[in-house]
Amino acid sequence: MNPHVQARLKNSFIVFDSDANGYLQRADFERMARRVTRVMGQQEGSAKAQAVLDGHLRFWAGLAAEADSDHDAKISFDEYARRSFGPGSFTAHVQPLAKSIAALADTDNDGQISKQEFIALLCAVGFNAADYSDFFQTLDSDGDGAITIEQFVAMLEDFYTNSNPAAQN
């Protein structure tokens, strides 16, 4: 596997492995959903919080179906790295999560995500925001200081389906 792609996958695996036990499990996705909604200021049970939880659980279900080769209800990094999210799989399993966290990031409900909202979401998820500050400028193609929810979803689709080594880590 290309080392850049492997690094990108390892980074996302570490973020999803919320208990740092070396495996992805359903509880990791539940924990992450609750943490992200709490950090982003949503109360558990709100419509946005429920959408984020549902999105995380749908992502987990798709990931488990595609990657849990030994059916032990946990996914090692090797299993995670071998899985493939093609366009149909992304739409079914990852897009609901992408849309729910984009809506969560859109704290003023204007249909756009400002740079401040984008950075806050990355921090809530567990990424190092400093690594992605300049990346926002790439996404903000018209330079208006915001990206649409559709642009955010497209960015995540590219992240999960693109094997190009030049793609953002």
Side-chain angles (χ1 to χ4, degrees):
M1 175 182 295
N2 179 295
H4 295 287
V5 172
Q6 180 141 354
R8 188 173 71 215
L9 290 173
K10 188 66 171 177
N11 192 25
S12 67
F13 183 89
I14 289 167
V15 167
F16 280 120
D17 183 11
S18 63
D19 64 0
N21 71 350
Y23 293 96
L24 301 183
Q25 297 169 283
R26 178 185 165 109
D28 290 314
F29 291 82
E30 292 171 343
R31 230 181 335 272
M32 177 179 272
R34 287 188 175 90
R35 183 187 76 225
V36 169
T37 55
R38 183 182 67 253
V39 171
M40 292 299 292
Q42 286 293 311
Q43 293 206 344
E44 193 168 332
S46 71
K48 282 187 177 185
Q50 189 61 50
V52 169
L53 178 60
D54 293 346
H56 275 80
L57 294 179
R58 193 162 179 182
F59 180 84
W60 163 253
L63 187 61
E66 292 186 21
D68 188 9
S69 58
D70 58 6
H71 308 289
D72 63 354
K74 58 185 181 180
I75 298 169
S76 68
F77 176 72
D78 288 338
E79 288 173 316
Y80 182 73
R82 285 192 307 263
R83 66 85 182 105
S84 173
F85 284 114
S89 179
F90 177 85
T91 300
H93 302 295
V94 186
Q95 192 176 66
L97 173 59
K99 287 182 177 181
S100 71
I101 62 173
L104 182 69
D106 180 16
T107 57
D108 58 6
N109 299 313
D110 66 353
Q112 297 191 64
I113 302 168
S114 69
K115 184 174 183 178
Q116 181 180 354
E117 291 169 328
F118 181 78
I119 298 299
L121 178 66
L122 290 179
C123 290
V125 169
F127 288 104
N128 181 354
D131 294 342
Y132 293 90
S133 183
D134 291 339
F135 182 58
F136 182 85
Q137 303 313 115
T138 304
L139 296 174
D140 182 15
S141 56
D142 62 6
D144 69 351
I147 59 172
T148 65
I149 288 176
E150 292 78 19
Q151 286 173 301
F152 182 85
V153 171
M155 180 238 356
L156 284 180
E157 181 172 13
D158 184 59
F159 180 86
Y160 281 105
T161 63
N162 187 348
S163 60
N164 179 352
Q168 177 69 30
N169 288 334

